[in-house]
Amino acid sequence: MVNGSRSPARPDATDDMTAAISAVAEAHGNRPDALLEIYHDIQERLGHIPEVALPIIARALNISRAEARGVFTFYHDFRAQPAGRHVVKLCRAEACQAMGCRQLEEHLTGKLGIRMSETTPNGAITLEAVYCLGNCALSPAVMIDGKLIGRVSAERIDALLCALDAGGAA
Ligand code: FES
């Protein structure tokens, strides 16, 4: 679950954003043990966790910035940038590895021209790694916009991406 490669964006915090982030921390009593829940709630509200959130949260919870950042970077679920219109999560855990998820990842990143944790330049698709979708018997597995899909081949993922295009949103 370690993600050391992400570097959050660095926009300045607007007053509204600072207030929203502080309000979420406050709603959890500014408790350090609620850090994960706070991150989840911020991501739900803002669509991602901006860089500026980390020092605000560290201050509110009275923890170090390094600790706030360490937890943020450890979990792949937390996004430093807003997601694209569609989110494709590719399982990289053991059963899916045994069934060719690496090749599927190469196919997807090559086709979309992005790396994992990135979004296509047109904002259509974000590609994310996950570690077991609970669908190991039907690996390799992906999740597209919250929908779980098993036994995914390169041809099938192409068809699924085409279907997103056909929906007019990709
Ligand atoms: S290992 Fe991929 S779904 Fe479980």
Side-chain angles (χ1 to χ4, degrees), residues 39-152:
Y39 281 156
H40 279 295
D41 285 359
I42 290 171
Q43 184 155 292
E44 202 174 305
R45 271 174 93 149
L46 304 178
H48 68 300
I49 300 174
E51 168 73 12
V52 293
L54 303 183
I56 296 169
I57 292 167
R59 207 165 35 247
L61 274 52
N62 198 24
I63 59 175
S64 70
R65 288 183 184 205
E67 195 177 340
R69 179 175 301 283
V71 170
F72 170 76
T73 55
F74 186 79
Y75 292 97
H76 278 273
D77 272 354
F78 300 135
R79 294 188 188 104
Q81 310 282 348
R85 292 186 293 283
H86 302 286
V87 177
V88 177
K89 292 176 186 273
L90 174 68
C91 178
R92 271 180 176 170
E94 208 172 310
C96 286
Q97 273 189 39
M99 293 304 284
C101 74
R102 290 289 178 200
Q103 292 89 323
L104 199 55
E105 179 178 332
E106 274 173 34
H107 176 77
L108 264 177
T109 52
K111 182 181 176 72
L112 297 172
I114 55 173
R115 292 176 297 184
M116 300 304 283
S117 303
E118 290 184 349
T119 299
T120 52
N122 65 359
I125 295 174
T126 296
L127 206 48
E128 294 181 342
V130 288
Y131 293 84
C132 196
L133 288 162
N135 199 35
C136 313
L138 298 176
S139 56
V142 300
M143 183 175 270
I144 300 180
D145 296 338
K147 187 176 172 207
L148 185 59
I149 301 154
R151 293 208 174 108
V152 181

